[in-house]
Structures are given as structure tokens and as C-alpha cells.
Amino acid sequence: MKKSKFVVMATILIIVTSVLLVSTRSLGVVNKASNVVSVLDNIVSKPFNFLAGVKSDLTDLTRTYKENKQLKKALFKMEEELAASDSLKDENSQLRQLLEMKNLYESKKKVSADVVSRIPVSWLAELTVNAGHQNGVQNTMLAVANGGLIGSVKDVASHSSRVNLLTNNKNIDNISVRIQTDTGTIYGVIIGYSKEKTAFIISQLNSSDIIKEGAKVVTSGLGTYNIPNIPVGTVLSVTEKSDHLTKEVFVKPSADLTDIRVVTLVGS
């Protein structure tokens, strides 16, 4: 009886021990399997997560590009409108100045014209206007713009004329001018232009009287171009040549010769 009881207990102990061993091993296998699955899932999901991130970045980049394009378009349109507005303001200002100049020379022959050609290579030398013989233009007329003298008419065609600018280094028109001083009037001739001083050069003076800075200079009406009192500029400085006999007067132009759009040609 005791022996049977011992056998039963031993059998139960073996069964319990076996169950525990199997359970422990199964749990280890399950844990290892879970770890492997987790690693594989991590490896497989990384490319998909990366692609999802790239897609999101591309979407943001595309949206930013479109917004940037729209902003550039709006900015360009705004700048274009501002440029057009500034251009109209400048042209209106020049037209008002020409109207004032016209009123000064009511008894003289006047022809208004638009500048139709002025190329960079000869920007300081000449320009072309859309008025010629058919409009009454003559090659003895002076050109006025932006409140002062800018040059003289050279070549005249049927419907256009070339204006020789006073900023031309090869200026040989010898336009006569008058300088008002404290003691009287001094006459001279425009002989050239100084790029360094951005000033007309006047020489061949008929007097050695002192000429002060700021003295007014106008056309004299003598010689070929016989229209007096057109503003030329104001005296910047006076220098003596090396022979101490000849003076050169540098005159700041009354007119802005960098931007000329409309011109009045004045003659007798």
C-alpha cells in the first residue's frame, strides 16, 4: 500500500515537473519569436516610414514653390505698375517744364517733338526726335528740354531730326552764351563738356572780370543760334590755362541730360 502511494506521488511529481519544463521552454520560444517579429517589423517599416516622410516633404516643397511663384508674379506686377507710374510722372514733369519754356518764347518759332532714338553708345552725343522739315524744323534751331538748353539741331529729314547734345565731346557748334557778373555781362562760347565735373566748358571770354561761382549763364542770341535767354546753367568754377591768358568757365547744366523724353526746338 505504501509502495503504491509512493509510485503515485512520484508519477504526479514527474508530470508536474514536465509541464513546468515545457511551459518554460514554450515561453522562451514565444519571447524569442516575438523579438524576431519585432525586429523584422522594424526593418520592413523603416523604408515605408522614410517614403512617407519624403512624400510629405515633397508635398510641402511643391506647395512652397507654388506660393513662391505666385508671390513673384504679384511682386513683378507691382513693380511694373510702379515703374509705369514713375515714368508717367517723369514725362508729365518734363512736359510741364516745356510748357513753361514755350511761354518764354511766344514770339519765336517752336516745334515740340518726342525722342524716338537715343542709343547707349552715343548717349551723351546725340538723339533723334520725330519732327523734321514737314514740321518746320531748321538746322539753326536750339533744343530745349528739362528746363534748359540741351543742344542744337544738326541733320533734318522729312519727319525726323538729329540733335547734337552739349555733352558731346566733339561739340563744334560754338553756341554763344552770356554770363551775368557783379560788374556786368561777359560773353563766351560753349567749347566742350567735362565728364569729370559733369559741366559745360565755356571759353573765348570777352572780358577778364571776376566770375563768381553760382553766376547765371544763358544763351546770348549772337551768332548762328540767335535765340537769347535760354537757361544754360550756373557757374561751378573758373580756371586759368597754362598761358595765364585764357580762362575756362565750368558750368553746371540747368537741364537734366541723362533722361530726355520730349524736346522743344526753338528758332527765329
Side-chain angles (χ1 to χ4, degrees), residues 195-245:
K195 287 185 179 180
E196 292 180 359
K197 296 186 177 183
T198 60
F200 303 139
I201 303 172
I202 296 174
S203 190
Q204 301 178 28
L205 305 177
N206 71 327
S207 172
S208 59
D209 289 351
I210 295 175
I211 300 174
K212 293 183 179 180
E213 180 182 344
K216 299 294 183 182
V217 182
V218 297
T219 56
S220 68
L222 303 177
T224 304
Y225 305 98
N226 55 359
I227 309 299
N229 301 319
I230 296 177
V232 175
T234 55
V235 174
L236 279 178
S237 61
V238 181
T239 61
E240 285 189 357
K241 300 288 284 184
S242 57
D243 58 9
H244 300 289
L245 298 175

Side-chain angles (χ1 to χ4, degrees), residues 33-258:
S34 297
N35 291 336
V36 171
V37 171
S38 177
V39 171
L40 290 174
D41 180 66
N42 189 36
I43 292 172
V44 172
S45 63
K46 275 188 176 180
F48 290 99
N49 291 336
F50 174 75
L51 291 175
V54 170
K55 181 181 178 182
S56 177
D57 291 341
L58 287 174
T59 301
D60 292 341
L61 183 61
T62 302
R63 186 185 304 111
T64 302
Y65 173 77
K66 288 181 179 179
E67 290 176 354
N68 188 36
K69 191 174 181 180
Q70 291 174 352
L71 287 172
K72 282 184 176 180
K73 188 176 181 180
L75 181 61
F76 176 77
K77 185 177 180 181
M78 186 182 297
E79 289 177 346
E80 194 176 41
E81 290 174 351
L82 286 173
S85 176
D86 291 340
S87 178
L88 286 174
K89 287 179 181 178
D90 291 340
E91 191 167 342
N92 287 340
S93 176
Q94 291 189 21
L95 287 171
R96 281 194 295 270
Q97 288 178 329
L98 282 183
L99 183 60
E100 292 173 1
M101 297 295 290
K102 270 190 170 185
N103 294 334
L104 293 175
Y105 311 108
E106 289 185 357
S107 61
K108 303 298 181 181
K109 187 174 184 178
K110 300 176 293 293
V111 178
S112 294
D114 295 325
V115 175
V116 293
S117 176
R118 191 180 185 186
I119 58 177
V121 70
S122 59
W123 192 262
L124 296 177
E126 62 184 30
L127 56 80
T128 303
V129 297
N130 62 349
H133 284 307
Q134 296 293 331
N135 309 97
V137 178
Q138 300 172 350
N139 59 7
T140 56
M141 286 181 158
L142 292 176
V144 179
N146 296 338
L149 183 69
I150 63 166
S152 58
V153 176
K154 296 305 295 180
D155 300 325
V156 184
S158 296
H159 300 285
S160 65
S161 301
R162 183 170 63 88
V163 174
N164 185 40
L165 298 174
L166 292 179
T167 47
N168 189 344
N169 287 332
K170 299 178 181 179
N171 197 323
I172 57 173
D173 292 338
N174 293 328
I175 298 174
S176 178
V177 297
R178 185 175 74 245
I179 306 170
Q180 192 63 44
T181 68
D182 293 339
T183 57
T185 300
I186 297 177
Y187 291 88
V189 173
I190 300 175
I191 62 169
Y193 178 76
S194 170
K195 287 185 179 180
E196 292 180 359
K197 296 186 177 183
T198 60
F200 303 139
I201 303 172
I202 296 174
S203 190
Q204 301 178 28
L205 305 177
N206 71 327
S207 172
S208 59
D209 289 351
I210 295 175
I211 300 174
K212 293 183 179 180
E213 180 182 344
K216 299 294 183 182
V217 182
V218 297
T219 56
S220 68
L222 303 177
T224 304
Y225 305 98
N226 55 359
I227 309 299
N229 301 319
I230 296 177
V232 175
T234 55
V235 174
L236 279 178
S237 61
V238 181
T239 61
E240 285 189 357
K241 300 288 284 184
S242 57
D243 58 9
H244 300 289
L245 298 175
T246 307
K247 288 183 179 180
E248 285 187 341
V249 182
F250 293 89
V251 176
K252 179 182 178 181
S254 295
D256 177 8
L257 285 92
T258 59

